[in-house]
Amino acid sequence: MNIVVQEVQKGTGALKVMVKDSIDIQGMKTMSGSQALMDTPAAIANAEVVELILAADCQITAKTNLHELAFGITGINHSFGTALNPKYPDLIPGGSSSGSAAAIAAGLADFTLGTDTGGSIRMPAACCGVYGLKPTFDRVSRKGVHPTVSSLDCVGPFAMSVSMIETAMQIIDPSFHPLAELTQAPKLAWLDVRADTEVIECIQDYLDQADLPLTSVKSEWFDSAFEAGMQVINYENWQAYAALTETGLVGADVNARLLKAAQTTLQQVQQAEQIKAKFKAEIDALLTQFDALILPTLPQIPPKVSEAENTVAFLNLTGLVRPFNLSGHPAISIPLQTASGLPVGLQIVAKQNADEHVCAIAKYIVEAAQ
């Protein structure tokens, strides 16, 4: 199914884990889904999260495929194959952590690890119908994760339940301590964003089942945060991968995006930092009034693989996830399905370093809606 790029067999524990191939495993090449890195030397050490997984007596069985260089949102990869979306085979698996999401949907692991710089965990989670958590920025170690330098990227887990997300977080973040079940309904706000009617109605129907009242709120800086996040990602990815554009081995879509990213200036990044401060303050203020913000993970139903060759044409799919990479807040995607059987993600955002709380709220909502 093009989910796995390398079989590993590390550890012998009860929990089976797969790791995105942008995360180092000692003795194995970290190729980040690119032919341009096939001749790279094997990693000389495990990433810190891999060490934690092995110390918890888990079994790492494979490295998973991804959108090349983790610089794309569809998951389409012509070098190593595109991971099949097990539940929705005609639709994209989402990127960049496509293989990690698909592996959970296919039942190949108890939890998997992905990375999320601009939605790359939450988006494939929504596409593949699984749970995915982007932790608070810098809460989970990025030591041994590529690209080495990133001011937005987060390592986080995929699983088939919030409980398993919490288990994974206890392993990869030793400071994570799950909360007891909430005894009263959380105070929730609906963040008013642009999304297709089908998506919004699916989420509203689900929340109606849970009998959870919502207060509608708006963000003045949301759209600006989306653009600012892209400026930062472009600038940092060009710093990391500029040399690869000269090899002739990078896929056409990613190569074109990298060359365009070369035009991003340091001044634009500095302006993005100013927007980051304003957006973060705005979201922080809202989260003093509410326990969490609710919004869709994706603004539309994921496109078909056959329609999604042009990554640039679908960058708007990250419109509702990327802003929270800029602000650094934790966010989880809950899998829903429309009446016609299509995937929708419900995104929950909480205060910074309230990763335990965002998981507890997600569990409460899921149980209340049953």
Side-chain angles (χ1 to χ4, degrees), residues 162-163 166 170 176-186 355-365 367:
V162 183
S163 293
E166 291 178 320
Q170 289 178 82
F176 185 96
H177 302 291
L179 301 180
E181 290 188 7
L182 300 181
T183 56
Q184 60 184 23
D355 300 48
E356 292 90 346
H357 201 201
V358 80
C359 289
I361 292 171
K363 286 173 77 172
Y364 184 94
I365 291 174
E367 291 170 5

Side-chain angles (χ1 to χ4, degrees), residues 21-362:
D21 190 30
S22 57
I23 300 173
D24 284 345
I25 293 181
Q26 185 178 18
M28 305 192 74
K29 296 179 180 181
T30 305
M31 296 183 290
S32 294
S34 179
Q35 286 190 29
L37 294 175
M38 285 186 71
D39 292 330
T40 193
I44 61 174
N46 288 323
E48 196 162 299
V49 286
V50 170
E51 287 289 342
L52 290 169
I53 289 168
L54 295 175
D57 196 30
C58 298
Q59 182 180 6
I60 300 177
T61 59
K63 301 189 84 175
T64 56
N65 202 359
L66 61 149
H67 199 114
E68 186 173 6
L69 299 179
F71 197 31
I73 52 93
T74 64
I76 293 174
N77 186 315
H78 294 297
S79 295
F80 294 100
T82 299
L84 175 69
N85 186 334
K87 294 185 179 180
Y88 310 99
D90 292 336
L91 306 184
I92 61 168
S96 63
S97 308
S98 50
S100 294
I104 292 299
L108 300 179
D110 293 294
F111 72 86
T112 59
L113 292 190
T115 62
D116 192 317
T117 314
S120 288
I121 289 174
R122 291 158 290 158
M123 182 177 183
C127 291
C128 293
V130 301
Y131 293 83
L133 171 69
K134 181 200 83 69
T136 299
F137 177 74
D138 211 24
R139 181 145 176 182
V140 178
S141 171
R142 290 193 72 258
K143 185 177 180 180
V145 180
H146 300 265
T148 303
V149 177
S150 176
S151 60
L152 303 182
D153 190 45
C154 306
V155 177
F158 295 90
M160 282 303 296
S161 68
V162 183
S163 293
M164 185 55 70
I165 291 284
E166 291 178 320
T167 296
M169 283 299 293
Q170 289 178 82
I171 292 169
I172 65 174
D173 173 11
S175 72
F176 185 96
H177 302 291
L179 301 180
E181 290 188 7
L182 300 181
T183 56
Q184 60 184 23
K187 189 177 181 182
L188 304 175
W190 173 263
L191 188 58
D192 187 11
V193 294
R194 290 188 296 274
D196 287 355
T197 301
E198 185 177 16
V199 170
I200 291 176
E201 288 181 348
C202 176
I203 293 174
Q204 289 179 337
D205 288 347
Y206 184 79
L207 294 174
D208 286 346
Q209 292 177 45
D211 193 25
L212 289 172
L214 297 175
T215 301
S216 183
V217 298
K218 292 188 176 183
S219 164
E220 177 186 353
W221 292 98
F222 196 81
D223 292 340
S224 297
F226 169 73
E227 295 297 338
M230 195 71 256
Q231 301 286 10
V232 175
I233 292 169
N234 281 343
Y235 186 84
E236 293 181 346
N237 273 359
W238 177 249
Q239 304 307 308
Y241 296 126
L244 299 185
T245 62
E246 301 175 5
T247 65
L249 296 174
V250 178
D253 67 324
V254 172
N255 201 66
R257 288 193 67 203
L258 283 171
L259 292 174
K260 186 175 181 180
Q263 302 169 20
T264 306
T265 66
L266 187 57
Q267 182 182 8
Q268 288 175 309
V269 174
Q270 291 169 343
Q271 291 170 346
E273 288 296 326
Q274 295 173 7
I275 293 170
K276 174 182 178 177
K278 292 174 180 177
F279 178 63
K280 179 181 178 298
E282 181 185 51
I283 298 301
D284 285 343
L286 286 172
L287 289 170
T288 63
Q289 304 171 55
F290 301 95
D291 294 310
L293 305 179
I294 303 292
L295 69 159
T297 307
L298 305 180
Q300 66 181 72
I301 302 300
K304 294 181 178 180
V305 173
S306 60
E307 300 169 350
E309 281 292 335
N310 183 0
T311 294
V312 175
F314 289 98
L315 284 177
N316 66 306
L317 283 173
T318 62
L320 307 183
V321 285
R322 191 191 304 159
F324 299 110
N325 291 91
L326 192 73
S327 67
H329 292 87
I332 192 169
S333 183
I334 293 176
L336 308 183
Q337 191 167 260
T338 67
S340 58
L342 295 172
V344 167
L346 163 60
Q347 186 176 194
I348 306 171
V349 180
K351 292 179 182 178
Q352 293 210 353
N353 290 309
D355 300 48
E356 292 90 346
H357 201 201
V358 80
C359 289
I361 292 171

